[in-house]
Amino acid sequence: VYITVNVIEGDLFTVSGVEIAGELHDIPESTIRTLLLSRKGQVFSRELMTASEDRIEKALGNSGYTFASATGQPIIDDDGETVTVKFFVDAGKRAYVRRISFRGNTLTQDTVLRREMRQMEGGWASNAAIEGSKVKLERLGFFREVNVETPAVPGADDQVDVNFTVEEQPSGSISATLGFSQDVGLILGLSYQQSNVFGTGNSVNIGVNRSSFQTAYNFSYFDPCYSVDGVSRGYSVFF
């Protein structure tokens, strides 16, 4: 068989103007316009219009309007050769975070995860802050995988919960060394390193090296968040 696909491209349309309508609340229209990729004088592109919708929704989401929507629509002008791109924006109600919860952290303490949060309970929900919190948890190195969900609170149209699910992975290691030197003979070494001691997020390193020439012991301890302001403190002992 032969399959013939007939394509009719139609005429090219030029954007004669870009309009914004709808509820923006406290977000200035000038801020929304900086996010638009569709501009006057361009050849109309549905791809740019859709990308503009995503940018508007993300910006509103970062300002707490989690359920915001933006819809672009090309309206053909009277001359039949140009279109006006009109964006209908519905910011909706600003959503606040009722509760932040964690699941899957069987070893790591709750406080270790909470101090990495950029999104606060009681504050308005920010997509950027929630994603930033997820990235901070991933960078700890304690978890194989981190996922986050923001379900709406039943019975409330302006509240969400932020639920993190983590999958822990080993955070410690034991190593042994064996060597030989013509001057000092047999060299033995043993070390233990743990970057999440008892789930506190603190790290410890213990090492022993022994030969006929010397025996060396070393111990180090590091607390990355000694104070509430994030000041770190560490100790190192060598004998």
Side-chain angles (χ1 to χ4, degrees), residues 102-128:
F102 304 94
R103 283 178 283 186
N105 53 317
T106 55
L107 172 65
T108 307
Q109 297 177 10
D110 187 83
T111 54
V112 176
L113 282 72
R114 289 195 180 276
R115 69 191 184 195
E116 300 298 327
M117 293 294 100
R118 296 300 173 262
Q119 173 66 61
M120 298 292 106
E121 289 183 342
W124 73 51
S126 167
N127 293 340

Side-chain angles (χ1 to χ4, degrees), residues 3 19 31 34 61 68 75 92 110 124 127 132 157-159 162 182 190 213:
I3 299 177
E19 298 179 1
T31 301
T34 61
I75 302 173
D110 187 83
W124 73 51
N127 293 340
D157 59 357
D158 62 347
Q159 289 185 336
V162 180
Q182 188 174 4
L190 182 67
F213 173 71

Side-chain angles (χ1 to χ4, degrees), residues 21-27 32 56-57 59-71 88-96 124-125 156-160:
E23 280 292 337
L24 300 179
H25 295 301
D26 57 347
I27 308 297
I32 299 299
I56 294 172
E57 290 177 356
L60 291 172
N62 292 337
S63 298
Y65 299 102
T66 306
F67 307 109
S69 64
T71 304
F88 297 90
V89 181
D90 182 11
K93 285 188 176 181
R94 177 168 271 160
Y96 293 83
W124 73 51
D157 59 357
D158 62 347
Q159 289 185 336
V160 296

